[in-house]
Amino acid sequence: MIGSLAAAESGNAPAQGEFRVSERFACDVPASCQPPSDWKRGGQKWLARVRDVSSGGLCLVLGRRFERGAGLAIELPGADPDSPSTLLARVMNIRPEGGAWALGCAFISC
């Protein structure tokens, strides 16, 4: 995960009226996600892409909507293909995006 995200390029300067505390870095990293209860039981994973990342969260784009406040276990590729990293996050905002959903997520713990 760290290698994939460390290679992300810096995003554009925040737009006027932007209230984010942390700078976002654009990326395009394959991921999957699921509610934490499914993660522990090995339930269904939803394929996704990480669009950008900051020290406080990330933007996840996928074909399924999760409601604001939902917890997600987000699996990212690790340095070794057999050892992915899993981050826990909470959905903070939702936007429809061309047949998919963009979920702004905040990390639960860093």
Side-chain angles (χ1 to χ4, degrees):
M1 172 194 101
I2 301 301
S4 299
L5 296 180
E9 296 179 45
S10 178
N12 296 333
Q16 193 166 4
E18 179 70 56
F19 297 105
R20 294 179 194 275
V21 175
S22 305
E23 181 179 5
R24 287 182 286 175
F25 296 91
C27 60
D28 184 23
V29 177
S32 64
C33 68
Q34 60 194 149
S37 59
D38 285 348
W39 174 48
K40 293 293 185 186
R41 291 182 284 145
Q44 180 179 2
K45 293 180 183 178
W46 295 87
L47 296 179
R49 305 289 300 180
V50 177
R51 171 185 295 151
D52 63 52
V53 64
S54 74
S55 62
L58 53 77
C59 178
L60 196 63
V61 179
L62 67 155
R64 183 198 192 283
R65 176 186 173 116
F66 284 95
E67 295 301 320
R68 185 172 190 268
L72 292 176
I74 302 169
E75 189 174 286
L76 300 167
D80 175 355
D82 294 327
S83 59
S85 295
T86 302
L87 302 170
L88 299 178
R90 183 163 316 284
V91 177
M92 303 304 288
N93 60 66
I94 310 149
R95 292 183 313 277
E97 190 168 286
W101 296 94
L103 308 178
C105 299
F107 297 132
I108 291 176
S109 63
C110 296

